[in-house]
Amino acid sequence: MTRSASPKDRNIWEKSHLMWRAVADKYINKAEWFLKVDDDTFLFPDHLRGFTEFYNPNIPRYFGHTIMHRWKNENIVFNTGLAYVLSREALLQLAVLLRNMPSWKPGLPVELCHDRKGAGEDSSISICLKNVGIIPDNTLDQQGRQRFFPFQLQAHYSHKRDDEESWFWKYKPKIVGTEENCCVPKEEVIAVHGYKRIGDDEEFYKLHAQALASRNHVAPIPPKPSSFWYDKELLDFEVDEWHNSLAAAETAAKFTGYTARR
């Protein structure tokens, strides 16, 4: 690293893009799917395998829990850092850009892939992926139920859609359910996040037992591959054919002379 690696300095983005470069250099031919997982996330590997088996790793894919609250003003749609998954082809294309990206300087549009200090690696990796034409894929099932969870699993069963302006609900399609309709069956949950308090290790044991009990579950076919789902009528801005926010593009062009493109 060129910056401090101390946890207090939180140079997480530099750590992350250097990690992805190293993974691409050393392991690109040793796996079909690559993922980043937070240390307070519980991952269900068998459930992930059951989901990805329906997708071609030689096509760019970017899976996770997609949030859109920064879409309108910053042209950023990204998968939260709790756990996101890249296909081999997505990583191949991303690595080329990461090896040659510029360092941040004043006037550089936020939606251009660049090296910088600080955290926010999940949004930054999404920016870089979009710079090579890769945006989040849909991971909802046919009924709009979610597979990747930013909060502990039980919290999602009581999570109501009572604040459409929150980072969680902003622009999420209406098909996404709440409470008992929030989530795929437990046999298909891929990742759950937020287990960092004292005593949460006991929850990990329960999740591990759940994982073992569902090892023979046959996953249903997911919806036809597509980009992240949204309802056009819920947007208060226009987007182009590459999912660029025209509101953000106009602002960027006004102040920098830059026009967004895929």
Side-chain angles (χ1 to χ4, degrees), residues 86-186:
L86 301 179
S87 67
R88 179 168 52 207
E89 182 60 27
L91 180 54
L92 274 170
Q93 295 186 24
L94 173 67
V96 174
L97 185 61
L98 294 182
R99 295 186 189 105
N100 300 283
M101 66 179 174
S103 294
W104 184 86
K105 58 183 178 181
L108 190 69
V110 66
E111 59 187 292
L112 286 184
C113 181
H114 59 271
D115 175 45
R116 57 164 178 77
K117 65 180 181 179
E121 57 84 22
D122 48 5
S123 58
S124 292
I125 203 71
S126 179
I127 290 169
C128 294
L129 286 164
K130 189 170 186 181
N131 281 192
V132 292
I134 302 169
I135 60 176
D137 287 90
N138 172 57
T139 58
L140 302 173
D141 75 354
Q142 299 282 3
Q143 300 176 54
R145 298 178 298 186
Q146 302 176 89
R147 307 174 192 271
F148 295 79
F149 301 97
F151 313 123
Q152 293 189 16
L153 194 55
Q154 289 303 318
H156 284 274
Y157 290 121
S158 60
H159 196 188
K160 297 181 179 180
R161 192 162 188 153
D162 53 6
D163 184 3
E164 293 288 344
E165 295 302 309
S166 69
W167 66 264
F168 184 88
W169 288 114
K170 189 72 171 178
Y171 303 129
K172 268 192 171 65
K174 288 297 185 182
I175 193 175
V176 176
T178 61
E179 300 177 290
E180 68 273 10
N181 298 315
C182 70
C183 317
V184 293
K186 291 183 177 180

Side-chain angles (χ1 to χ4, degrees), residues 2 126 186 202 242:
T2 60
S126 179
K186 291 183 177 180
E202 295 296 326
W242 299 294

